Amino acid sequence: MTTIDLPVGTAYTAVGAPINAAESTRRLTIANIWVAVIAFAVATAMAVMQAMSRANLALPGRSARMYYLSVTAHGVLMALVFTTFFIMALGWAVVREERGAMKWPRASWIAFWAAVTGVLITTWAILTHRASVLYTFYPPMQAHPAFYIGLTIVVVASLEWAASIVATWWELRRASPARPVSLAMHATTANAMLWMLCTLGVAAEMVFQLIPWSLGLVKTIDPLLARTLFWFFGHPLVYFWILPAYTIWYTVLPREAGGYLFSDRLGRMVFTLFLVLSTPVGFHHQFQDPGISAGWKLFHTFNTMVISFPSLVTAFTVCASLEIAGRIRGGKGLFGWIGTLPWGNPLVSSSLCAMLLFLIGGFGGSINAAYALNSVVHNTAWVQGHFHLTVGSAAALTYMGAMYWMVPRLRGVPLQYRPLAQVQPFLWMLGMTFFSLPNHITGLMGLPRRVYDATYAGAPQAQMWSELTAISAAGGIIVFTSALCFVLSIGKTLLREPQGEPAPLLWAEPLETDESRVTMWDRLGRWWVVAVLLVLIAYALPLSDIFHLTRFGSPGFKPF
Ligand code: HAS
Ligand code: CU
């Protein structure tokens, strides 16, 4: 780890009291975790309702209107709020270990409160039935301007976080040019740089299309352009979610499992490749859209296959690190090391369960990305099966494991209700298996996603689907139970009076210690330029094509 002595100076708490900057960073980390946990708890309640709806159970107050409100709230609070706030928390925690304190405490606290305000504005719009447009906010469905404005505030605020991370990295690199920053800092910086590139798409969609249109300043919107700008952002967004999980798998898991990171350098390569390759792939969400030529769609398919490579390297590196740990702990034979891993440690079991589910989710992703096969699965239940294994498990479950590990250390409190935290990952894995596998199967049978009416307007297949949707509803209930265990354990750990001093967050040691020299993978600034060039290649012509099409705008629709 590169720790350099920097003056940490004076910062201010949320209420303006002077405070040591390191302490301010610690508090900001915890504040972000609080928002993440609250968003998670609310979104979880929505999820049960939806799972039951799929199984056509008569719930009090069940209606199409409630269903789409709930799907929107669940998607926005889980996929956008829970994730982003946890990711910012992890970023601040890494910066605190690396530099001692964040760079711009005042601006960062202002950004935090701005982000919270943005979340509240958006949530108000959703919960008052003004924004049932789902988390991908597809126009021509139209929401209240508050929905779009709130989310734009969150994005802008998160960019302050990203800028601060990158500035910290820059300062550390300049202070000791011959030594790389820690792998955790490298990974966090790559993710922040990725965020600074991909949010351009959603910002353009918000500022030039959705906000003026929802305010009535323009009458119509071009859905194709909006979708293209959204997915310019939307795919890198999924890597923005997964990279913090990979960060934990590389930099924390090997140590907690009792071993070493198999290769630090491979880790650096992986995170740098994600920075370069995550954005020019968005058309794999638009294979079925008109107005984008087949050649460009195929180009994005190829890029998608290339971006699976760093995930495969991750599967290898993480498995190798776990094997080292398992053998140090006395595991013998081809698979004997798996059983000797500390499955009772909630960070370890969360990560392992997350990875096992990700094996299936990632495989499904490769099917989605195959241009022709996508027409079989697009807009079917398969897709929600896919993303509950990826963002809903690989990312979310690892985040939960990371919180079991971080919060006690940040607060100087032992993990509370530890047995709940110990069973929680297994319940999640069980529930998500029951939830997601039937979704994959029914998806292949043609069950559409995001449809409220469980009789599917009398479709003859509805009978065939019903048993599987009942299983997936049961899976949803198990996941809900797991979520409750998480909220109870982490909620109590957040609330309990501190009993000791905060403890440092220690990163895993690499197996090879001669890896501490700067290589091309550490030069993130240059790679960011390469990323921008690739984005230009992948998007400039297709976007110009869209602008040259005869364009018919659409008025807004508020069906629910
Ligand atoms: Fe995806 C749709 C393609 C990964 C999230 N994806 C979605 C949507 C979401 C999402 C939210 O090409 C829905 C969007 C919507 O609402 O419309 N996805 C991919 C591909 C990958 C992929 C190729 N997705 C993710 C990740 C996500 C995520 C990661 C969130 C975090 N996805 C698609 C496509 C669509 C799509 C199309 C559009 C579908 C449509 O038509 O609408 C790849 O990056 C996946 C690579 C991953 C692997 C797995 C590596 C495995 C690892 C675990 C190792 C395990 C070990 C086990 C070591 C190849 C790293 C150890 C255990 C022991 C016990 C020892
Ligand atoms: Cu994607």
mmCIF file with all atom_site columns, all heavy atoms in Angstrom, residues 473-490:
data_model
loop_
_atom_site.group_PDB
_atom_site.id
_atom_site.type_symbol
_atom_site.label_atom_id
_atom_site.label_alt_id
_atom_site.label_comp_id
_atom_site.label_asym_id
_atom_site.label_entity_id
_atom_site.label_seq_id
_atom_site.pdbx_PDB_ins_code
_atom_site.Cartn_x
_atom_site.Cartn_y
_atom_site.Cartn_z
_atom_site.occupancy
_atom_site.B_iso_or_equiv
_atom_site.pdbx_formal_charge
_atom_site.auth_seq_id
_atom_site.auth_comp_id
_atom_site.auth_asym_id
_atom_site.auth_atom_id
_atom_site.pdbx_PDB_model_num
ATOM 1   N N   . ALA A 1 473 ? -42.013 -17.220 -7.134 1.00 0.00 ? 473 ALA A N   1
ATOM 2   C CA  . ALA A 1 473 ? -42.557 -16.409 -6.031 1.00 0.00 ? 473 ALA A CA  1
ATOM 3   C C   . ALA A 1 473 ? -42.050 -16.944 -4.693 1.00 0.00 ? 473 ALA A C   1
ATOM 4   O O   . ALA A 1 473 ? -41.664 -16.172 -3.801 1.00 0.00 ? 473 ALA A O   1
ATOM 5   C CB  . ALA A 1 473 ? -44.076 -16.414 -6.067 1.00 0.00 ? 473 ALA A CB  1
ATOM 6   N N   . ALA A 1 474 ? -42.005 -18.283 -4.569 1.00 0.00 ? 474 ALA A N   1
ATOM 7   C CA  . ALA A 1 474 ? -41.494 -18.870 -3.322 1.00 0.00 ? 474 ALA A CA  1
ATOM 8   C C   . ALA A 1 474 ? -40.030 -18.453 -3.122 1.00 0.00 ? 474 ALA A C   1
ATOM 9   O O   . ALA A 1 474 ? -39.608 -18.100 -2.002 1.00 0.00 ? 474 ALA A O   1
ATOM 10  C CB  . ALA A 1 474 ? -41.612 -20.390 -3.370 1.00 0.00 ? 474 ALA A CB  1
ATOM 11  N N   . GLY A 1 475 ? -39.272 -18.468 -4.210 1.00 0.00 ? 475 GLY A N   1
ATOM 12  C CA  . GLY A 1 475 ? -37.876 -18.009 -4.139 1.00 0.00 ? 475 GLY A CA  1
ATOM 13  C C   . GLY A 1 475 ? -37.815 -16.571 -3.652 1.00 0.00 ? 475 GLY A C   1
ATOM 14  O O   . GLY A 1 475 ? -36.984 -16.224 -2.802 1.00 0.00 ? 475 GLY A O   1
ATOM 15  N N   . GLY A 1 476 ? -38.745 -15.756 -4.139 1.00 0.00 ? 476 GLY A N   1
ATOM 16  C CA  . GLY A 1 476 ? -38.778 -14.349 -3.726 1.00 0.00 ? 476 GLY A CA  1
ATOM 17  C C   . GLY A 1 476 ? -38.967 -14.210 -2.222 1.00 0.00 ? 476 GLY A C   1
ATOM 18  O O   . GLY A 1 476 ? -38.356 -13.363 -1.575 1.00 0.00 ? 476 GLY A O   1
ATOM 19  N N   . ILE A 1 477 ? -39.802 -15.094 -1.663 1.00 0.00 ? 477 ILE A N   1
ATOM 20  C CA  . ILE A 1 477 ? -40.050 -15.007 -0.215 1.00 0.00 ? 477 ILE A CA  1
ATOM 21  C C   . ILE A 1 477 ? -38.781 -15.399 0.559  1.00 0.00 ? 477 ILE A C   1
ATOM 22  O O   . ILE A 1 477 ? -38.455 -14.796 1.592  1.00 0.00 ? 477 ILE A O   1
ATOM 23  C CB  . ILE A 1 477 ? -41.220 -15.921 0.159  1.00 0.00 ? 477 ILE A CB  1
ATOM 24  C CG1 . ILE A 1 477 ? -42.372 -15.550 -0.753 1.00 0.00 ? 477 ILE A CG1 1
ATOM 25  C CG2 . ILE A 1 477 ? -41.531 -15.857 1.664  1.00 0.00 ? 477 ILE A CG2 1
ATOM 26  C CD1 . ILE A 1 477 ? -43.651 -15.237 -0.206 1.00 0.00 ? 477 ILE A CD1 1
ATOM 27  N N   . ILE A 1 478 ? -38.068 -16.386 0.040  1.00 0.00 ? 478 ILE A N   1
ATOM 28  C CA  . ILE A 1 478 ? -36.824 -16.784 0.735  1.00 0.00 ? 478 ILE A CA  1
ATOM 29  C C   . ILE A 1 478 ? -35.815 -15.628 0.675  1.00 0.00 ? 478 ILE A C   1
ATOM 30  O O   . ILE A 1 478 ? -35.146 -15.306 1.662  1.00 0.00 ? 478 ILE A O   1
ATOM 31  C CB  . ILE A 1 478 ? -36.218 -18.066 0.103  1.00 0.00 ? 478 ILE A CB  1
ATOM 32  C CG1 . ILE A 1 478 ? -37.238 -19.199 0.153  1.00 0.00 ? 478 ILE A CG1 1
ATOM 33  C CG2 . ILE A 1 478 ? -34.939 -18.465 0.830  1.00 0.00 ? 478 ILE A CG2 1
ATOM 34  C CD1 . ILE A 1 478 ? -36.789 -20.485 -0.519 1.00 0.00 ? 478 ILE A CD1 1
ATOM 35  N N   . VAL A 1 479 ? -35.725 -14.986 -0.505 1.00 0.00 ? 479 VAL A N   1
ATOM 36  C CA  . VAL A 1 479 ? -34.801 -13.854 -0.621 1.00 0.00 ? 479 VAL A CA  1
ATOM 37  C C   . VAL A 1 479 ? -35.222 -12.742 0.347  1.00 0.00 ? 479 VAL A C   1
ATOM 38  O O   . VAL A 1 479 ? -34.381 -12.099 0.984  1.00 0.00 ? 479 VAL A O   1
ATOM 39  C CB  . VAL A 1 479 ? -34.757 -13.313 -2.068 1.00 0.00 ? 479 VAL A CB  1
ATOM 40  C CG1 . VAL A 1 479 ? -33.861 -12.083 -2.151 1.00 0.00 ? 479 VAL A CG1 1
ATOM 41  C CG2 . VAL A 1 479 ? -34.259 -14.371 -3.034 1.00 0.00 ? 479 VAL A CG2 1
ATOM 42  N N   . PHE A 1 480 ? -36.518 -12.557 0.488  1.00 0.00 ? 480 PHE A N   1
ATOM 43  C CA  . PHE A 1 480 ? -37.020 -11.523 1.400  1.00 0.00 ? 480 PHE A CA  1
ATOM 44  C C   . PHE A 1 480 ? -36.573 -11.830 2.835  1.00 0.00 ? 480 PHE A C   1
ATOM 45  O O   . PHE A 1 480 ? -36.108 -10.954 3.571  1.00 0.00 ? 480 PHE A O   1
ATOM 46  C CB  . PHE A 1 480 ? -38.547 -11.445 1.298  1.00 0.00 ? 480 PHE A CB  1
ATOM 47  C CG  . PHE A 1 480 ? -39.161 -10.461 2.244  1.00 0.00 ? 480 PHE A CG  1
ATOM 48  C CD1 . PHE A 1 480 ? -38.951 -9.103  2.080  1.00 0.00 ? 480 PHE A CD1 1
ATOM 49  C CD2 . PHE A 1 480 ? -39.959 -10.890 3.309  1.00 0.00 ? 480 PHE A CD2 1
ATOM 50  C CE1 . PHE A 1 480 ? -39.520 -8.181  2.968  1.00 0.00 ? 480 PHE A CE1 1
ATOM 51  C CE2 . PHE A 1 480 ? -40.524 -9.976  4.186  1.00 0.00 ? 480 PHE A CE2 1
ATOM 52  C CZ  . PHE A 1 480 ? -40.307 -8.623  4.015  1.00 0.00 ? 480 PHE A CZ  1
ATOM 53  N N   . THR A 1 481 ? -36.690 -13.106 3.219  1.00 0.00 ? 481 THR A N   1
ATOM 54  C CA  . THR A 1 481 ? -36.252 -13.503 4.569  1.00 0.00 ? 481 THR A CA  1
ATOM 55  C C   . THR A 1 481 ? -34.769 -13.200 4.747  1.00 0.00 ? 481 THR A C   1
ATOM 56  O O   . THR A 1 481 ? -34.332 -12.681 5.783  1.00 0.00 ? 481 THR A O   1
ATOM 57  C CB  . THR A 1 481 ? -36.481 -15.025 4.763  1.00 0.00 ? 481 THR A CB  1
ATOM 58  O OG1 . THR A 1 481 ? -37.754 -15.346 4.221  1.00 0.00 ? 481 THR A OG1 1
ATOM 59  C CG2 . THR A 1 481 ? -36.403 -15.426 6.205  1.00 0.00 ? 481 THR A CG2 1
ATOM 60  N N   . SER A 1 482 ? -34.007 -13.522 3.712  1.00 0.00 ? 482 SER A N   1
ATOM 61  C CA  . SER A 1 482 ? -32.574 -13.256 3.764  1.00 0.00 ? 482 SER A CA  1
ATOM 62  C C   . SER A 1 482 ? -32.316 -11.756 3.923  1.00 0.00 ? 482 SER A C   1
ATOM 63  O O   . SER A 1 482 ? -31.468 -11.328 4.724  1.00 0.00 ? 482 SER A O   1
ATOM 64  C CB  . SER A 1 482 ? -31.945 -13.797 2.476  1.00 0.00 ? 482 SER A CB  1
ATOM 65  O OG  . SER A 1 482 ? -30.645 -13.338 2.324  1.00 0.00 ? 482 SER A OG  1
ATOM 66  N N   . ALA A 1 483 ? -33.073 -10.964 3.163  1.00 0.00 ? 483 ALA A N   1
ATOM 67  C CA  . ALA A 1 483 ? -32.884 -9.513  3.217  1.00 0.00 ? 483 ALA A CA  1
ATOM 68  C C   . ALA A 1 483 ? -33.171 -8.987  4.627  1.00 0.00 ? 483 ALA A C   1
ATOM 69  O O   . ALA A 1 483 ? -32.472 -8.111  5.141  1.00 0.00 ? 483 ALA A O   1
ATOM 70  C CB  . ALA A 1 483 ? -33.789 -8.827  2.200  1.00 0.00 ? 483 ALA A CB  1
ATOM 71  N N   . LEU A 1 484 ? -34.203 -9.571  5.269  1.00 0.00 ? 484 LEU A N   1
ATOM 72  C CA  . LEU A 1 484 ? -34.523 -9.144  6.641  1.00 0.00 ? 484 LEU A CA  1
ATOM 73  C C   . LEU A 1 484 ? -33.356 -9.433  7.583  1.00 0.00 ? 484 LEU A C   1
ATOM 74  O O   . LEU A 1 484 ? -33.002 -8.609  8.439  1.00 0.00 ? 484 LEU A O   1
ATOM 75  C CB  . LEU A 1 484 ? -35.762 -9.886  7.137  1.00 0.00 ? 484 LEU A CB  1
ATOM 76  C CG  . LEU A 1 484 ? -37.102 -9.374  6.634  1.00 0.00 ? 484 LEU A CG  1
ATOM 77  C CD1 . LEU A 1 484 ? -38.228 -10.149 7.314  1.00 0.00 ? 484 LEU A CD1 1
ATOM 78  C CD2 . LEU A 1 484 ? -37.253 -7.877  6.907  1.00 0.00 ? 484 LEU A CD2 1
ATOM 79  N N   . CYS A 1 485 ? -32.754 -10.620 7.407  1.00 0.00 ? 485 CYS A N   1
ATOM 80  C CA  . CYS A 1 485 ? -31.593 -10.973 8.253  1.00 0.00 ? 485 CYS A CA  1
ATOM 81  C C   . CYS A 1 485 ? -30.500 -9.924  8.081  1.00 0.00 ? 485 CYS A C   1
ATOM 82  O O   . CYS A 1 485 ? -29.891 -9.469  9.054  1.00 0.00 ? 485 CYS A O   1
ATOM 83  C CB  . CYS A 1 485 ? -31.024 -12.337 7.869  1.00 0.00 ? 485 CYS A CB  1
ATOM 84  S SG  . CYS A 1 485 ? -32.133 -13.694 8.139  1.00 0.00 ? 485 CYS A SG  1
ATOM 85  N N   . PHE A 1 486 ? -30.263 -9.536  6.821  1.00 0.00 ? 486 PHE A N   1
ATOM 86  C CA  . PHE A 1 486 ? -29.213 -8.538  6.558  1.00 0.00 ? 486 PHE A CA  1
ATOM 87  C C   . PHE A 1 486 ? -29.543 -7.218  7.241  1.00 0.00 ? 486 PHE A C   1
ATOM 88  O O   . PHE A 1 486 ? -28.719 -6.628  7.946  1.00 0.00 ? 486 PHE A O   1
ATOM 89  C CB  . PHE A 1 486 ? -29.047 -8.335  5.045  1.00 0.00 ? 486 PHE A CB  1
ATOM 90  C CG  . PHE A 1 486 ? -28.282 -7.086  4.695  1.00 0.00 ? 486 PHE A CG  1
ATOM 91  C CD1 . PHE A 1 486 ? -26.913 -7.022  4.901  1.00 0.00 ? 486 PHE A CD1 1
ATOM 92  C CD2 . PHE A 1 486 ? -28.932 -5.966  4.190  1.00 0.00 ? 486 PHE A CD2 1
ATOM 93  C CE1 . PHE A 1 486 ? -26.198 -5.864  4.612  1.00 0.00 ? 486 PHE A CE1 1
ATOM 94  C CE2 . PHE A 1 486 ? -28.231 -4.805  3.897  1.00 0.00 ? 486 PHE A CE2 1
ATOM 95  C CZ  . PHE A 1 486 ? -26.857 -4.752  4.117  1.00 0.00 ? 486 PHE A CZ  1
ATOM 96  N N   . VAL A 1 487 ? -30.787 -6.756  7.049  1.00 0.00 ? 487 VAL A N   1
ATOM 97  C CA  . VAL A 1 487 ? -31.152 -5.437  7.578  1.00 0.00 ? 487 VAL A CA  1
ATOM 98  C C   . VAL A 1 487 ? -31.060 -5.438  9.110  1.00 0.00 ? 487 VAL A C   1
ATOM 99  O O   . VAL A 1 487 ? -30.555 -4.490  9.715  1.00 0.00 ? 487 VAL A O   1
ATOM 100 C CB  . VAL A 1 487 ? -32.562 -5.023  7.084  1.00 0.00 ? 487 VAL A CB  1
ATOM 101 C CG1 . VAL A 1 487 ? -33.035 -3.762  7.783  1.00 0.00 ? 487 VAL A CG1 1
ATOM 102 C CG2 . VAL A 1 487 ? -32.556 -4.817  5.573  1.00 0.00 ? 487 VAL A CG2 1
ATOM 103 N N   . LEU A 1 488 ? -31.511 -6.545  9.732  1.00 0.00 ? 488 LEU A N   1
ATOM 104 C CA  . LEU A 1 488 ? -31.451 -6.600  11.197 1.00 0.00 ? 488 LEU A CA  1
ATOM 105 C C   . LEU A 1 488 ? -30.010 -6.555  11.681 1.00 0.00 ? 488 LEU A C   1
ATOM 106 O O   . LEU A 1 488 ? -29.650 -5.781  12.578 1.00 0.00 ? 488 LEU A O   1
ATOM 107 C CB  . LEU A 1 488 ? -32.118 -7.894  11.690 1.00 0.00 ? 488 LEU A CB  1
ATOM 108 C CG  . LEU A 1 488 ? -33.639 -7.878  11.681 1.00 0.00 ? 488 LEU A CG  1
ATOM 109 C CD1 . LEU A 1 488 ? -34.177 -9.258  12.046 1.00 0.00 ? 488 LEU A CD1 1
ATOM 110 C CD2 . LEU A 1 488 ? -34.155 -6.831  12.671 1.00 0.00 ? 488 LEU A CD2 1
ATOM 111 N N   . SER A 1 489 ? -29.165 -7.378  11.058 1.00 0.00 ? 489 SER A N   1
ATOM 112 C CA  . SER A 1 489 ? -27.798 -7.472  11.551 1.00 0.00 ? 489 SER A CA  1
ATOM 113 C C   . SER A 1 489 ? -27.032 -6.176  11.304 1.00 0.00 ? 489 SER A C   1
ATOM 114 O O   . SER A 1 489 ? -26.384 -5.626  12.204 1.00 0.00 ? 489 SER A O   1
ATOM 115 C CB  . SER A 1 489 ? -27.108 -8.662  10.878 1.00 0.00 ? 489 SER A CB  1
ATOM 116 O OG  . SER A 1 489 ? -25.733 -8.607  11.100 1.00 0.00 ? 489 SER A OG  1
ATOM 117 N N   . ILE A 1 490 ? -27.141 -5.647  10.103 1.00 0.00 ? 490 ILE A N   1
ATOM 118 C CA  . ILE A 1 490 ? -26.341 -4.464  9.781  1.00 0.00 ? 490 ILE A CA  1
ATOM 119 C C   . ILE A 1 490 ? -26.968 -3.226  10.436 1.00 0.00 ? 490 ILE A C   1
ATOM 120 O O   . ILE A 1 490 ? -26.256 -2.328  10.894 1.00 0.00 ? 490 ILE A O   1
ATOM 121 C CB  . ILE A 1 490 ? -26.158 -4.309  8.249  1.00 0.00 ? 490 ILE A CB  1
ATOM 122 C CG1 . ILE A 1 490 ? -24.763 -3.775  7.937  1.00 0.00 ? 490 ILE A CG1 1
ATOM 123 C CG2 . ILE A 1 490 ? -27.162 -3.396  7.610  1.00 0.00 ? 490 ILE A CG2 1
ATOM 124 C CD1 . ILE A 1 490 ? -23.653 -4.666  8.214  1.00 0.00 ? 490 ILE A CD1 1
#
